[in-house]
Amino acid sequence: GINAEYGESSVASMAEEQTNQFNELSESIKASIAAKKQEALQDQRRIDALQKNVNALNDRCSMLEMAMERERSERMQDTSDMQTQISRDMHKLEVAIETSKMNLEQRESAAQQRMSDENSRMLERMDTDRKYLESAMAYVRTSVEQEKSARQSSETKLWEALSQVSIPVATFKDLENRVAKLEASGA
């Protein structure tokens, strides 16, 4: 009887101990699952925060790319406008120089023709009126000197105009360099 009772109580005690162990294990597993859920939730929050930062950085990059493209486009338009203006100015200057050369050549030719005519007349009249011929020669010399002076003045003005055009060319070169740097930094 005692052994049977002892065996039953021993079995009951073992069953109770196993139940306690099972309950402890079950609580431990539940706690571990709750901790993992908490970690997963924190990880998800970190991932969401990182994704938000990545999205913000992508938006910022897009805005910077658009700003750089707009700046590059404006610079290219400025460069194109400046090239067009320089071409127009150069054409006007070339036309002005050509016109001035033709006018100078015509005046010089006319002056030379007048001088030639005066020389012919002077030779014809040399015997009769020497003083008159000397006066005519002085007039022709003065006229030639005035034409020469006018031509030199015109050339000086043309060189000044040409030197003024070379300033925008330097500015244009500077803009070209800036555009090249912008394109290199954007590539």
Side-chain angles (χ1 to χ4, degrees):
I2 295 178
N3 279 343
E5 249 180 65
Y6 179 72
E8 284 177 19
S9 88
S10 166
V11 167
S13 138
M14 280 179 55
E16 191 178 310
E17 188 178 320
Q18 283 180 346
T19 300
N20 284 343
Q21 286 177 353
F22 176 76
N23 287 340
E24 287 175 13
L25 181 60
S26 177
E27 289 302 317
S28 172
I29 289 171
K30 285 180 185 177
S32 177
I33 289 172
K36 290 293 180 189
K37 282 184 178 178
Q38 192 63 31
E39 281 181 36
L41 189 60
Q42 289 176 348
D43 286 347
Q44 188 60 47
R45 285 183 191 136
R46 281 194 286 259
I47 288 170
D48 289 346
L50 286 172
Q51 186 62 48
K52 186 177 177 183
N53 287 339
V54 166
N55 290 343
L57 286 174
N58 280 336
D59 291 345
R60 181 71 179 134
C61 284
S62 293
M63 287 180 3
L64 286 173
E65 285 173 0
M66 286 190 296
M68 283 178 61
E69 181 59 29
R70 192 168 44 249
E71 177 73 17
R72 187 178 75 77
S73 176
E74 288 171 3
R75 291 295 168 238
M76 287 178 67
Q77 184 61 44
D78 289 348
T79 300
S80 175
D81 292 348
M82 190 168 284
Q83 284 176 326
T84 302
Q85 186 59 44
I86 288 171
S87 294
R88 285 182 190 144
D89 290 347
M90 289 299 288
H91 179 71
K92 287 178 186 175
L93 189 61
E94 287 169 359
V95 169
I97 288 172
E98 206 51 47
T99 302
S100 178
K101 277 184 183 178
M102 288 183 352
N103 290 341
L104 289 173
E105 287 171 1
Q106 287 173 353
R107 286 195 301 261
E108 286 175 355
S109 175
Q112 287 175 349
Q113 185 61 44
R114 283 194 306 266
M115 190 168 86
S116 175
D117 292 347
E118 286 298 325
N119 278 333
S120 295
R121 281 187 229 126
M122 183 183 74
L123 290 173
E124 290 171 5
R125 288 184 252 141
M126 193 178 244
D127 293 338
T128 57
D129 195 355
R130 190 167 186 86
K131 285 185 180 182
Y132 171 76
L133 291 176
E134 287 175 357
S135 172
M137 283 298 293
Y139 166 76
V140 170
R141 273 191 225 109
T142 303
S143 179
V144 168
E145 286 300 318
Q146 286 173 347
E147 289 298 321
K148 186 176 177 182
S149 176
R151 182 181 49 119
Q152 287 172 344
S153 174
S154 293
E155 285 176 354
T156 302
K157 287 178 184 174
L158 285 172
W159 280 111
E160 287 171 358
L162 188 59
S163 71
Q164 289 173 356
V165 169
S166 66
I167 292 170
V169 171
T171 305
F172 167 72
K173 290 290 183 194
D174 182 48
L175 273 175
E176 267 188 341
N177 291 335
R178 286 177 48 202
V179 167
K181 285 180 186 176
L182 279 173
E183 287 174 344
S185 70

